[in-house]
Amino acid sequence: MSEAVAETVAGRFAELYGSAPDGVWAAPGRVNLIGEHTDYNDGFVMPFALPHQAVAAVSRREDGVLRLHSADVEGGVTEVHLDALALESDKNWTAYPAGVVWALREAGHAVTGADIHLASTVPSGAGLSSSAALEVVVALALNDLFSLGLRGWQLARLCQRAENVYVGAPVGIMDQTASACCESGHALFLDTRDLSQRQIPFDLAAEGMRLLVVDTQVKHSHSEGEYGKRRAGCEKGAALLGVDALRDIPYDGLDEALARLGDEEEVRRLVRHVVTEDERVERVVSLLESGETRAIGPVLVEGHASLRDDFRISCPELDLVVDTALTAGALGARMTGGGFGGSAIVLAEEADVEAITKAVTEAFAAAGFTTPRVFEAVPSPGARRLH
C-alpha cells in the first residue's frame, strides 16, 4: 500500500517539477486515547498513530526558493522565497510546510530551499492532526535531505514552534510528537514536560476488540478563539495557584487547590479537568500494562464527561456519538481532539462493532445531522521514509 502511494505521489511530483523527487516520506495523523488538553499544561497524553497519513515527495534546492503543491487543494504550485517568510502572513494550507522551513532556519539549520508535493488521507478538521502530519512529513524530509541529524522529538518541537509562532495556533506538543514518534501496535505514553516516552502495547484485535473513530463532520479550527481561551484560563489557574503548570497540582491535592481558587468558577472547572485527566492517563497506562484492557472503557467515559461539563468543549454531535454508542453496548467512548466538533472514539467488542455503527448512523439521521464517517483506528507506525 505504502509503495503504491509513494509511486503515485512521486509521479505527480515529476509532472509538476520536471524531474523525479529526491525521496518520498510519510507521517501519520493520530488519535488520542486519553489525555485531552493536558499537553499545554505540562501533563500526560496517550496518542497513537493512525494508518491515515500525509505523504510528501521532496527535492532539495540551493537557491532559497520553496515550491509547494498539494493534491488535496485546488490550485497550482505556490512559490515563495525563504527570505520572505513572515509570521502569520499566510492564511492558507501552505503556512504549515512553510512554517516548518521557517522554524528550521530560525533554529540555525541551513535549509536552502525545496520542491514539495503533498497528498494526505488524514481527514481535515476532524481532530486527527492533519496539520501535524503535514508539518512532520516536511520536517522529516528536510532533516534527511539536508543531513540535519535531528531526532523525532526534536522535529516535533520545531513543528510545534512552526504552528505556534508562524501559523499562530496555540497547540501543545502532543500531535507532532505522536506523528513523529509513535510505533505500530502501541500507544505512546508521553510526558509533555520532559518529552520522556514509553511505548505501551495496544493490540486490541488480539483481544477481540476494536477502537472506532467517529468523525462527526463538524469542522473545528485550533486557530479560532475558544481553544486559546481555554489555554489562557489554564495558565491563569496555574498562576493563581503559584505553580509553573497545572501538572504540578497533585490529584490528592485537587480539592484544596479548588478551594483556594474561591469564586473563579470558570478557572476551577478548567483546573479540575486537567488534574483529573492526568490521573486518568496514568490509570489507563496501569490498566493496559496489567492486561486489563476492557477496564479502560469507563475511564474514557469519565474523560468525556469532564471535557463536556468542566472544559465545555463538546457539542451535540459528539455527545450523541458517546451516548448512542454506550447504549448500543460499547465498552467506552469519548470525544477526542481539540473539541467543538471533530471526532469521538468508541471502544467495542469486535462482535458489537456493526450494531454500534448502525445505531450511531441512525441516531445522526434522526437528529438531522450530517452522516458521520466511521472507521477503525489501528495503531500504526510514525513518520518514516517510504522511498
Side-chain angles (χ1 to χ4, degrees):
M1 180 70 176
S2 292
E3 190 62 36
V5 171
E7 286 182 13
T8 300
V9 174
R12 181 65 176 126
F13 179 99
E15 291 173 13
L16 288 163
Y17 299 119
S19 61
D22 292 339
V24 181
W25 290 261
R30 66 94 189 100
V31 68
N32 194 22
L33 182 63
I34 192 76
E36 221 64 77
H37 288 268
T38 49
D39 61 343
Y40 53 81
N41 290 293
D42 280 4
F44 303 125
V45 294
M46 201 171 182
F48 63 88
L50 291 168
H52 307 72
Q53 56 191 8
V55 178
V58 185
S59 286
R60 62 181 280 168
R61 298 176 65 100
E62 310 296 338
D63 58 358
V65 171
L66 177 66
R67 294 196 293 181
L68 301 165
H69 185 268
S70 170
D72 310 305
V73 182
E74 284 188 25
V77 173
T78 298
E79 181 173 314
V80 58
H81 286 268
L82 300 186
D83 292 340
L85 296 176
L87 304 186
E88 297 189 48
S89 60
D90 185 350
K91 299 302 179 187
N92 300 308
W93 72 269
T94 47
Y96 296 96
V100 170
V101 176
W102 171 85
L104 285 166
R105 284 166 56 86
E106 278 284 298
H109 301 292
V111 176
T112 55
D115 289 338
I116 301 174
H117 170 61
L118 291 145
S120 179
T121 57
V122 185
S124 177
L128 303 175
S129 298
S130 57
S131 59
L134 206 60
E135 292 156 3
V136 170
V137 74
V138 170
L140 181 62
L142 297 175
N143 185 51
D144 286 356
L145 291 177
F146 289 93
S147 302
L148 304 180
L150 298 169
R151 298 173 63 186
W153 66 268
Q154 293 171 305
L155 294 176
R157 274 271 191 238
L158 286 163
C159 290
Q160 181 199 18
R161 178 165 167 76
E163 193 156 350
N164 287 171
V165 181
Y166 191 86
V167 178
V171 299
I173 190 65
M174 174 180 67
D175 297 353
Q176 292 84 359
T177 306
S179 187
C181 301
C182 278
E183 293 181 5
S184 181
H186 292 75
L188 179 70
F189 177 37
L190 174 67
D191 181 335
T192 64
R193 170 163 282 169
D194 63 11
L195 296 191
S196 59
Q197 306 175 13
R198 267 174 39 216
Q199 300 287 345
I200 309 296
F202 190 55
D203 184 358
L204 293 175
E207 299 186 59
M209 287 175 282
R210 295 287 187 269
L211 190 77
L212 303 177
V213 174
V214 182
D215 176 4
T216 64
Q217 307 282 352
V218 178
K219 301 300 183 190
H220 74 152
S221 172
H222 277 159
S223 304
E224 292 171 8
E226 291 300 322
Y227 183 99
K229 283 183 194 171
R230 301 303 186 283
R231 182 163 186 165
C234 290
E235 290 168 354
K236 180 179 179 181
L240 289 170
L241 293 167
V243 292
D244 290 339
L246 294 183
R247 151 73 175 279
D248 297 313
I249 304 298
Y251 179 69
D252 60 8
L254 176 59
D255 288 344
E256 179 196 350
L258 295 178
R260 286 167 55 202
L261 289 170
D263 58 1
E264 292 277 358
E265 185 53 39
E266 187 171 343
V267 175
R268 282 164 55 94
R269 286 200 316 269
L270 298 179
V271 170
R272 183 165 53 224
H273 166 72
V274 172
V275 175
T276 58
E277 186 80 345
D278 273 335
E279 188 272 339
R280 280 187 285 273
V281 177
E282 293 186 291
R283 228 186 317 158
V284 167
V285 170
S286 178
L287 289 167
L288 290 178
E289 290 191 324
S290 60
E292 299 175 76
T293 307
R294 284 172 175 79
I296 74 172
V299 189
L300 302 184
V301 179
E302 284 177 35
H304 183 76
S306 183
L307 289 162
R308 180 192 64 211
D309 301 336
D310 275 345
F311 230 68
R312 299 190 181 184
I313 57 171
S314 190
C315 65
E317 291 86 350
L318 288 167
D319 293 339
L320 185 60
V321 173
V322 172
D323 294 343
T324 304
L326 293 173
T327 301
L331 297 166
R334 73 171 191 89
M335 61 155 286
T336 186
F340 310 105
S343 298
I345 56 173
V346 178
L347 180 68
E349 302 286 359
E350 187 176 1
D352 295 333
V353 165
E354 194 173 324
I356 291 168
T357 302
K358 183 171 182 282
V360 169
T361 303
E362 289 177 350
F364 267 57
F369 295 152
T370 302
T371 304
R373 177 176 179 233
V374 184
F375 59 90
E376 184 183 350
V378 180
S380 299
R384 64 210 185 280
R385 186 169 188 159
L386 298 180
H387 181 68

